[in-house]
Amino acid sequence: MARRKKADEMASRVRNLLAMDAAGIMRRLDARRDEMFALFSRLRSREPLLGTIASRYADGAFDQLIHLPEQEQAVVDHFYGRLDELRWYFTYTEDMPGTAQLIFSKLHKRLEESYRVLVVTLGPPVPPDGTRVVDVEAVRHDAAEAPPQKTLTRTTRRA
């Protein structure tokens, strides 16, 4: 029982590290989108593009992916595969900044889709204050418990 609890805690920590890494990448992409292409255009350097999508925790966490169920591993792999497509493009593109921005938009949409699946599967990262977001589910009441609906009755005068 204690071994299972420790394994669950390890998996939870790995999920959180991956969620923090993915959230950081997505946040930086949104915050730096315009600036990174302006710098790419002006400096002709790929560093603003590549630095924005740098992964902070994933390399260390991948050794721990064995603690996650296969479906979660697949979701994580898919997200980082999409990120790798973006990294490859930024590393080797010979496109001009305008074209690079258009291609980025297409690749970014794919990454956003993978990120949404990752968050749904792993959960969002734990914020610095330690609070957790909890999903709320609407509860449906039986028809017998529902208050009666009011109806309007139209009265017509007869001549």
Side-chain angles (χ1 to χ4, degrees):
M1 188 62 133
R3 178 178 265 171
R4 179 67 184 154
K5 184 177 179 183
K6 186 172 175 113
D8 289 344
E9 287 176 8
M10 177 68 82
S12 178
R13 288 179 179 154
V14 170
R15 281 185 201 98
N16 190 56
L17 283 173
L18 292 166
M20 286 190 319
D21 188 47
I25 290 166
M26 299 307 290
R27 189 173 42 255
R28 287 191 307 273
L29 277 171
D30 288 338
R32 299 177 187 173
R33 170 181 275 177
D34 295 331
E35 186 179 9
M36 67 184 188
F37 283 101
L39 289 169
F40 175 60
S41 178
R42 191 177 80 226
L43 303 174
R44 304 305 293 163
S45 169
R46 298 165 195 272
E47 184 53 37
L49 306 172
L50 295 170
T52 299
I53 59 173
S55 177
R56 293 187 177 162
Y57 306 115
D59 292 340
F62 280 135
D63 291 339
Q64 303 303 320
L65 283 176
I66 193 167
H67 299 289
L68 299 180
E70 290 86 358
Q71 195 249 344
E72 291 179 3
Q73 292 171 347
V75 168
V76 169
D77 183 66
H78 189 260
F79 173 79
Y80 283 98
R82 293 291 190 200
L83 183 63
D84 192 51
E85 288 175 1
L86 194 55
R87 186 177 292 115
W88 178 267
Y89 178 74
F90 283 168
T91 301
Y92 298 107
T93 185
E94 293 183 7
D95 292 339
M96 297 302 287
T99 303
Q101 201 162 8
L102 291 173
I103 300 295
F104 163 77
S105 292
K106 182 177 113 180
L107 295 174
H108 185 244
K109 282 182 184 177
R110 288 182 188 171
L111 185 64
E112 284 178 321
E113 291 166 13
S114 284
Y115 178 67
R116 279 191 281 280
V117 173
L118 185 132
V119 169
V120 167
T121 304
L122 300 184
V126 175
D129 64 5
T131 58
R132 286 194 178 262
V133 175
V134 178
D135 287 338
V136 178
E137 183 178 326
V139 178
R140 182 178 229 158
H141 294 284
D142 291 342
E145 295 177 15
Q149 292 185 353
K150 296 181 180 179
T151 57
L152 296 176
T153 307
R154 175 179 265 178
T155 312
T156 56
R157 292 186 187 178
R158 293 190 178 176

